[in-house]
Amino acid sequence: MSNRSRVRPSHGGPPAAPRAQAAARALEHATQAVARGDYEAAIAHYLRLTESDPRSAEAHNDLANAYRSVWRLDDAVRHYRRAVELRPDLAAAHFNLGVTYLDGGAFEAAAESLGAALALRPGHAGTIQSLMLAQARLGRADDALPWLEHFRALAVARPDSASAQSQLALALTKFDPMAR
C-alpha cells in the first residue's frame, strides 16, 4: 500500500474515514431525534457533528434549529451566527437568525438578518412576511407597505391560486400590528 492511499490522521485526531462515518451517524441520529420531536437528543447529536466538523455551516444551522425548538434562543442565535459567518450565502441561516431575533424581541437585528436573507432569496414569501412583521414592530409602516402590495398583486394576478391567496392573508396578518 502506498503512502498516498493511506488515510492519515490530521493533527493527531482520528483518521478521516472514521471521522466522516461518525459525522454521518451523528447526522442520522440527529435527524431521527428531530423526527421524534426529541430535540434534546438532537442537540447532543448535532453538537457531536459540529465538534467533528466545526466548519459545517449546515451543522451549525441545524443545531441552532434544535436549540430554537426548545426555546434556547441565545444558543440558537450563537449557532445561526456561526453558520452565517461560515457561509454568508446560506439564506436559511440568515432567515432562521432573523426569525429567532423576532421571537426574542430584537426587531432591529431581525430586520437586518431578514433583509440579508431576502437579498439571497428574493421573493421568498416567508422571509418577506417575517420582514414585514419586524418592520411593523419597529413602527416602519412605510417600509412594509410595498411588500403588502407585492402580495396583493400576486393574489390579483393568480386569483385561483390558493397559495397566492393564503400568502396575502398571512401578509395582512403580519401587517395588522401596524394598524394599532
Side-chain angles (χ1 to χ4, degrees):
M1 174 185 251
S2 75
N3 285 338
R4 289 181 148 178
S5 62
R6 281 192 206 154
V7 175
R8 295 180 185 200
S10 62
H11 307 291
R19 231 187 359 247
Q21 291 170 348
R25 277 192 308 276
L27 179 59
E28 181 182 345
H29 292 305
T31 302
Q32 291 169 351
V34 167
R36 292 190 310 270
D38 186 355
Y39 297 106
E40 293 297 340
I43 288 167
H45 294 298
Y46 284 130
L47 280 170
R48 279 195 286 284
L49 188 58
T50 60
E51 288 165 4
S52 70
D53 189 2
R55 301 214 35 90
S56 171
E58 293 79 3
H60 283 281
N61 186 63
D62 291 342
L63 173 57
N65 286 338
Y67 277 132
R68 186 166 174 260
S69 295
V70 294
W71 213 247
R72 289 174 56 182
L73 300 185
D74 290 341
D75 291 325
V77 165
R78 187 174 73 252
H79 285 280
Y80 287 135
R81 289 179 66 148
R82 181 68 178 137
V84 166
E85 179 183 309
L86 291 167
R87 285 240 352 249
D89 64 332
L90 187 58
H94 286 281
F95 172 76
N96 292 332
L97 179 58
V99 171
T100 303
Y101 280 138
L102 271 176
D103 289 341
F107 304 125
E108 191 68 48
E112 183 179 327
S113 294
L114 292 163
L118 191 58
L120 292 167
R121 222 173 13 186
H124 183 258
T127 303
I128 294 169
Q129 290 160 351
S130 296
L131 181 57
M132 285 178 62
L133 180 57
Q135 291 167 335
R137 297 292 164 85
L138 289 167
R140 298 181 187 159
D142 291 344
D143 292 340
L145 282 171
W147 295 115
L148 186 61
E149 177 55 29
H150 164 84
F151 286 112
R152 189 201 64 76
L154 183 63
V156 167
R158 298 175 30 205
D160 295 333
S161 167
S163 174
Q165 302 304 316
S166 66
Q167 287 176 359
L168 175 60
L170 188 54
L172 286 167
T173 303
K174 301 285 184 186
F175 192 75
D176 182 54
M178 285 185 269
R180 294 179 188 160

